[in-house]
Amino acid sequence: RASAIRNTCNLSVADMEFTRDLLRSKDSMIIDCDGVLYHGDRLLPGAKAFVEFLERTNKRYLFLTNSSDKSARKLVEKFAKLGLKTDESNFYTSAMSAATFLKRQKRGARAYVIGQPCLAQELEAEGTIVVDKDAAEMSTPDFVVVGESASPDLYNFSHIELAVKLVRRGARLIGTN
């Protein structure tokens, strides 16, 4: 198995030994997800063995992602489909980070959100009041938060045009990815 990983990753035996020793010497790790553990719906070589190593050696770890389009629960489900066992406490998304940031900037802030529903849900969970287009047009929110979405209903010219107007009227722009 190690030789398959070494060949796939183009690593020498010395590289593999150095990496193994380095990983063993660490107590905690922060790991990116997309492009590191998986690409799209395909698990990358060595990812499963690496996550199993983290569990087997009782390492503390956090999967960090700049993606705001999936909640931690959805990421756990995605990982399970890829054959990786983990739980929600092992994830920190850009939506979570944005929610924490807004909470620290202004408790009870109002925000106009462009992105998947989980982004708005994370913000609301931390006390941000998410406003719709009509409310944002009537009274400028404190923030405009832009995440990612492939849905034209959630991310389109109309939403971006309003976001620009709101920022020009004083709302602070926050991008999650």
Side-chain angles (χ1 to χ4, degrees):
R1 185 173 185 144
S3 64
I5 293 171
R6 185 174 64 246
N7 291 338
T8 302
C9 300
N10 202 19
L11 295 174
S12 69
V13 171
D15 289 335
M16 291 289 288
E17 289 174 1
F18 173 79
T19 302
R20 184 183 60 236
D21 291 344
L22 182 65
L23 291 174
R24 285 185 176 149
S25 73
K26 304 301 176 193
D27 295 327
S28 306
M29 295 181 205
I30 299 173
I31 306 122
D32 190 15
C33 296
D34 194 11
V36 174
L37 297 174
Y38 60 82
H39 183 70
D41 290 328
R42 186 175 58 87
L43 193 62
L44 294 176
K48 184 171 181 157
F50 177 65
V51 174
E52 289 170 350
F53 161 79
L54 295 172
E55 288 292 327
R56 186 176 63 255
T57 57
N58 296 315
K59 302 286 186 188
R60 294 182 313 175
Y61 62 95
L62 183 66
F63 297 119
L64 189 67
T65 177
N66 67 337
S67 179
S68 66
D69 67 339
K70 290 179 188 67
S71 65
R73 183 178 52 78
K74 289 289 186 189
L75 287 166
V76 167
E77 292 170 10
K78 177 179 180 125
F79 272 47
K81 288 178 186 173
L82 294 171
L84 301 174
K85 185 178 184 284
T86 189
D87 61 63
E88 291 181 34
S89 67
N90 292 114
F91 290 93
Y92 195 71
T93 69
S94 62
M96 294 169 158
S97 180
T100 300
F101 178 77
L102 265 62
K103 179 180 178 179
R104 290 180 179 168
Q105 293 298 303
K106 182 176 181 182
R107 288 201 177 270
R110 295 173 64 247
Y112 175 66
V113 179
I114 300 173
Q116 289 297 109
C118 63
L119 174 56
Q121 291 162 1
E122 290 289 350
L123 296 173
E124 289 174 330
E126 291 295 327
T128 297
I129 300 161
V130 175
V131 299
D132 63 15
K133 285 179 83 170
D134 293 335
E137 286 177 344
M138 290 176 54
S139 175
T140 303
D142 303 296
F143 297 95
V144 170
V145 181
V146 181
E148 62 184 306
S149 177
S151 169
D153 294 334
L154 301 174
Y155 196 100
N156 58 43
F157 184 77
S158 172
H159 291 291
I160 299 299
E161 182 179 39
L162 176 57
V164 169
K165 287 179 186 176
L166 296 173
V167 170
R168 291 187 71 184
R169 292 191 330 214
R172 292 175 57 195
L173 177 64
I174 307 294
T176 65
N177 335 27

